[in-house]
Amino acid sequence: MLNLLTAERIKIIRSKKFWIVLGILTILPIMQAVNSQITVNHGKELVQVIDTVINGATGILMIEKNGLTVLLIISAFICFFIGEEFQNGTIRNVLSLGRSRIHYYLSKFLMAALVSLFGVIVLTALGMISFTVVFGFGEVAEINHYFVFAIKSFITLYILILANVSVYVMIGFLTKNSGISLIWCFLYTIATGFLPDIFQQTSHFKQVTEWFTETFLFYSDFANPSHIAKYPEMVLVSLLTIVVSSTLGILCFNRTDIK
């Protein structure tokens, strides 16, 4: 397992796709801080509920502010990261050495999770720094213990992202093709991200939407005490998503005929 992880780490570091993802997540918070400054200069006031990040303190919510963008970028990376193994036939080299398919699957998932973690840390850190430079550090309204809030918020937001990473990895192993998996990942992200807004208007489907992590990621205000109280529920749904998607992915991969 450690050998697989080491090999995957080397592949990722040498991959242009990784550096492109990192570049986007590096530039994005800086551009948003500049854009927010331009908006304020034109006489508009930033509102936390709408703009999410309005100062350095709320910069901890950069993942929430860029939820859809982060998911689409990471899903694209994962699709190529896994799909190219099947398309180039390099997966046969690993399996021919007697490596366990379960270990191979988990190594891909762990590396995708680490890339996602590194990416959102860069996004969040630069977001806090950029907005602090432009608007000052400030504070988060109704939050007395900021450090505890920041740690809990970041961990919860990352786990919500991680749940989607597990689904993207599953799709990658099911489709075995970068282009096809990219389409399905985008469809999954858009559907589970925007359909809940429609279903929440009905009494019959409102509860169902709370079993999708995107419902929390896109429609929650992580600076609102009532939504902060739902952190345990968000984590539970995310962990269940990871377990179910990973189990299905491993079971299907074990039955896949690698040609």
Side-chain angles (χ1 to χ4, degrees), residues 104-119:
Y104 184 80
Y105 186 100
L106 292 178
S107 69
K108 288 293 186 182
F109 172 64
L110 288 175
M111 291 311 301
L114 289 174
V115 169
S116 303
L117 176 60
F118 185 68

Side-chain angles (χ1 to χ4, degrees), residues 115-232:
V115 169
S116 303
L117 176 60
F118 185 68
V120 296
I121 287 176
V122 170
L123 174 73
T124 302
L126 289 178
M128 295 181 73
I129 294 171
S130 299
F131 277 85
T132 297
V133 170
V134 177
F135 300 105
F137 189 76
E139 60 181 11
V140 181
E142 301 183 58
I143 301 298
N144 298 320
H145 304 287
Y146 177 77
F147 182 75
V148 175
F149 160 76
I151 295 296
K152 287 183 177 180
S153 296
F154 180 83
I155 291 175
T156 303
L157 284 164
Y158 172 68
I159 292 176
L160 288 172
I161 294 293
L162 186 60
N164 289 278
V165 167
S166 69
V167 174
Y168 299 146
V169 171
M170 179 192 70
I171 293 174
F173 275 93
L174 290 179
T175 59
K176 302 184 291 294
N177 182 282
S178 300
I180 297 175
S181 61
L182 189 64
I183 294 173
W184 279 109
C185 285
F186 278 20
L187 289 175
Y188 167 81
T189 303
I190 299 299
T192 56
F194 292 101
L195 287 180
D197 188 39
I198 299 174
F199 290 154
Q200 282 184 333
Q201 309 304 320
T202 67
S203 57
H204 298 290
F205 293 100
K206 184 176 182 180
Q207 298 300 323
V208 176
T209 60
E210 295 184 357
W211 286 97
F212 292 96
T213 55
E214 283 89 341
T215 303
F216 297 116
L217 188 60
F218 294 163
Y219 301 107
S220 297
D221 179 6
F222 285 75
N224 186 320
S226 63
H227 291 187
I228 293 174
K230 291 185 177 182
Y231 279 4

